[in-house]
Amino acid sequence: MSRHAVRIDEATLFELLTVASLFLVALFGAVIAYQAYRGYRRNDAQSMLYLAIGLLLLTVFPFLLNVFVTTLVDPDQVVIALLENVSRLLGLVAITYSLYGRH
């Protein structure tokens, strides 16, 4: 079961809204991760670095995996879902470590 590219003029409103919402999640995640990274650089707070990494893994990387891997490779949909979920899991682990780890 492989996906195929959908042209914008052929996409349904639901598909367009889905892609737009995924893009906005990635955009806001990147902005917040950047602010956390700035906090790390400004205060040398290791926990902020793990927070930034976790946010990127949780929000940006799944979006990029979905867009670029399906565009370039066209793999099985199950593989993409697995990679996205592993990225989200690692992001949550990094955020948890930023909150509870010893820094």
Side-chain angles (χ1 to χ4, degrees):
M1 166 188 329
S2 62
R3 294 194 245 188
H4 63 282
V6 177
R7 292 177 30 163
I8 294 290
D9 60 344
E10 296 175 351
T12 65
L13 179 60
F14 177 77
E15 290 170 330
L16 292 174
L17 290 173
T18 300
V19 171
S21 68
L22 291 172
F23 175 76
L24 288 173
V25 166
L27 179 65
F28 278 97
V31 169
I32 296 167
Y34 175 70
Q35 291 302 321
Y37 178 74
R38 286 183 62 208
Y40 159 70
R41 295 288 306 241
R42 183 174 41 248
N43 303 315
D44 198 29
Q46 198 76 8
S47 63
M48 295 302 281
L49 178 61
Y50 287 105
L51 178 62
I53 292 169
L55 286 168
L56 289 175
L57 288 169
L58 190 62
T59 60
V60 177
F61 285 165
F63 175 76
L64 294 176
L65 279 168
N66 195 315
V67 171
F68 290 115
V69 173
T70 56
T71 301
L72 299 175
V73 182
D74 193 29
D76 191 357
Q77 189 172 359
V78 174
V79 173
I80 290 295
L82 175 65
L83 293 174
E84 289 174 355
N85 286 334
V86 167
S87 180
R88 288 185 185 108
L89 176 62
L90 293 174
L92 290 171
V93 168
I95 291 171
T96 302
Y97 185 72
S98 79
L99 295 172
Y100 300 108
R102 295 186 180 172
H103 310 285

